[in-house]
Structures are given as structure tokens and as C-alpha cells.
Amino acid sequence: MKNLFAFFVLSSLLIACAGNDKTIIIMSKGEASVDLNAGTIQAKDGAGHEEKLVAVNKANISFKLNTPAGEATVELKENGLYVINVKNDTIIGSYQPYTSASQAQKVITQESLSQKIDSLQLLSEGKNVTVANRNYFILPNQSTFITSNPLAQVVGPYHQMRSAEKVDGKDPEIYRFYSIKEIREMITKLRALTVAPE
């Protein structure tokens, strides 16, 4: 994971210098193979969660996907960061506001807990997903534009949030993604923390 993050930062810096085009994170179950010349991404239904980072310096690019979910074509037109889902599973994610270490351990109220459960429930159903909310519901064989910031950090399913720090006084831009199974498990755990009405 550290190597992927270092490669991601280095690639992002190189892209920024070369025209700030596209950084693509391909999420798969088992390894995915990418052929930039042919414009193809192939994935089989393997084991574990895999991520592959690809830096592309083109105005428009499309990929033909051949995955466990079937075949599809995705087009990437804007400059910035994308996630392509070649898993046979929905990926759900959202922007995570930066919290300092001293703030991260604060106690959550029952009201906040209830709001979090409601929000996660809506996300798991693909509802309330908007560009303005910066949340994402990525079906199999789909790509999603995440941000124009090539230095944004993406934490994929089944990975723990890494530590993040301000850079030059600016908050880091972080997006956290989960499998739909993880979201459902999280909702169950959070509901167990709620206090039953008297």
C-alpha cells in the first residue's frame, strides 16, 4: 500500500508537470491487465481486492472493458482523477473531510450516529449521490470522475485509512471507497451502537 501511494504521488506530480491529464485507479478482484495502446482493460474474478494506477497524458481516452460483469466501454474526457470499477461488485465512496489526530477520537452523539446510518443506507441504495455531495456509487464496468486534483488520495475497499497531513497549510483531499458488503456490515455495527428508545 505504501508503494502504491508513493507511486501515485510521483505519477501525479509527473502528470501535473506534463499537462495535468488523467490519473486512473482501476479497482478489481484479482489482478487486472491494462493495454494502453489497445485501450483495453481485462479482469477475471480472482481473489482479494486489487488496485492498479495508470497515468495517461491524453485529451480523451476510452477503454473497452472485459470483466466478470461482461463487456463495456468507458470514456474519460476531463482531466483529473478517475476510478474504474472492473469488479463484479458495486463500489461506494465519498469525500472525507480532514480531521486532525486530536479531533479524530471525539465522542459521537446518538443524533450524529443516526445521521451517519441514514446517510450510509442511502448510499448503499445509490440514493443522494451527487457531484455536489462528492459521493459515488460505481456499478461494475463503470468509470467515475472523482476530482480535478491529481494529488487527491484514494483509499480503496478493504484498506484502512492512512494518516494524512496538511501540505503547505492546505487540508489533504481524501476519498474513501468501500465495497457494498463493507457498507452493509458498517450499517449493522453502527445500529448496534444506537440506544433503544425507552
Side-chain angles (χ1 to χ4, degrees):
M1 190 67 184
K2 289 180 181 177
N3 290 339
L4 176 65
F5 179 65
F7 176 73
F8 176 67
V9 170
L10 178 61
S11 298
S12 298
L13 291 172
L14 291 173
I15 288 172
C17 295
N20 194 21
D21 283 344
K22 294 167 185 62
T23 301
I24 305 161
I25 299 174
I26 300 157
M27 296 189 181
S28 59
K29 187 175 179 185
E31 188 173 356
S33 60
V34 181
D35 186 331
L36 288 176
N37 293 326
T40 61
I41 299 173
Q42 294 189 345
K44 295 182 179 178
D45 198 12
H49 173 78
E50 298 279 338
E51 293 177 18
K52 187 166 281 192
L53 186 132
V54 179
V56 181
N57 190 7
K58 289 185 179 179
N60 291 310
I61 188 166
S62 64
F63 288 101
K64 290 183 179 177
L65 309 180
N66 187 336
T67 76
E71 296 183 356
T73 300
V74 295
E75 293 185 31
L76 317 179
K77 296 180 178 179
E78 297 180 64
N79 293 337
L81 177 66
Y82 287 83
V83 170
I84 299 178
N85 179 11
V86 295
K87 298 165 79 79
N88 196 13
D89 191 12
T90 301
I91 297 171
I92 298 168
S94 65
Y95 169 74
Q96 300 295 306
Y98 172 75
T99 303
S100 66
S102 61
Q103 292 283 323
Q105 299 299 324
K106 71 177 184 179
V107 177
I108 188 167
T109 65
Q110 287 293 309
E111 183 180 353
S112 296
L113 189 60
S114 179
Q115 289 173 350
K116 187 172 180 75
I117 292 168
D118 290 345
S119 177
L120 288 171
Q121 186 64 47
L122 288 171
L123 274 177
S124 72
E125 297 168 4
K127 298 175 181 175
N128 204 25
V129 175
T130 66
V131 173
N133 288 342
R134 291 202 278 183
N135 50 27
Y136 309 92
F137 186 86
I138 311 173
L139 293 169
N141 280 357
Q142 285 192 355
S143 67
T144 298
F145 176 75
I146 305 300
T147 176
S148 58
N149 177 7
L151 298 178
Q153 298 176 38
V154 171
V155 180
Y158 306 106
H159 290 293
Q160 297 298 316
M161 286 284 285
R162 65 177 74 88
S163 62
E165 298 177 357
K166 292 189 178 192
V167 178
D168 297 329
K170 295 181 180 177
D171 289 350
E173 187 174 346
I174 303 170
Y175 296 86
R176 179 69 170 100
F177 286 85
Y178 300 90
S179 71
I180 198 160
K181 179 183 176 186
E182 285 181 295
I183 291 286
R184 288 175 180 150
E185 288 172 352
M186 195 182 310
I187 290 169
T188 300
K189 287 178 183 176
L190 290 174
R191 281 183 175 150
L193 298 175
T194 58
V195 176
E198 296 179 4

